[in-house]
Amino acid sequence: MFPQSTILDPLFWMAFGALQVLVFAGANQWAKQFKLGMNWWKWTLAGTWWASIILTIAGAFTLLGENEGLAGWYFLGFVGTGLVIAGAVLLRVLIALKPKH
């Protein structure tokens, strides 16, 4: 992750793990607050998107850690940008399919 660093690497992965806990703890409350009417396939889409984001970040920083800096930044830039756009589309779909009460 961070070559030649003894403190930044563990701090990054601890922050990354803490982010996971916050996302899992808050996702259900967030969906209830916005009354998205989440069901199994919506959770599956959201979970797949989140897993893709996590794998992209981990893969990109693994490449950076392997001294493949250019490949890591390209991977993060191209795939990450695509996933951010896909996330915006997914959010738009979730809002559009919100049950009307």
Side-chain angles (χ1 to χ4, degrees):
M1 175 72 214
F2 294 101
Q4 310 298 326
S5 175
T6 56
I7 190 73
L8 290 178
D9 204 27
L11 285 177
F12 173 79
W13 290 113
M14 284 191 295
F16 209 63
L19 178 67
Q20 299 298 310
V21 171
L22 292 175
V23 166
F24 288 127
N28 194 26
Q29 294 301 317
W30 179 79
K32 285 179 184 174
Q33 180 181 353
F34 289 101
K35 299 177 182 161
L36 293 177
M38 297 295 280
N39 55 23
W40 69 269
W41 65 269
K42 291 178 181 178
W43 281 117
T44 302
L45 283 176
T48 303
W49 178 82
W50 182 251
S52 299
I53 284 285
I54 296 304
L55 288 175
T56 300
I57 293 171
F61 282 100
T62 300
L63 285 170
L64 289 172
E66 296 290 331
N67 292 327
E68 297 289 343
L70 199 56
W73 289 118
Y74 279 139
F75 185 69
L76 188 62
F78 286 117
V79 178
T81 302
L83 283 173
V84 168
I85 293 169
V89 170
L90 177 62
L91 180 62
R92 183 69 183 113
V93 167
L94 290 178
I95 291 172
L97 295 177
K98 189 163 86 171
K100 303 190 180 14
H101 294 268

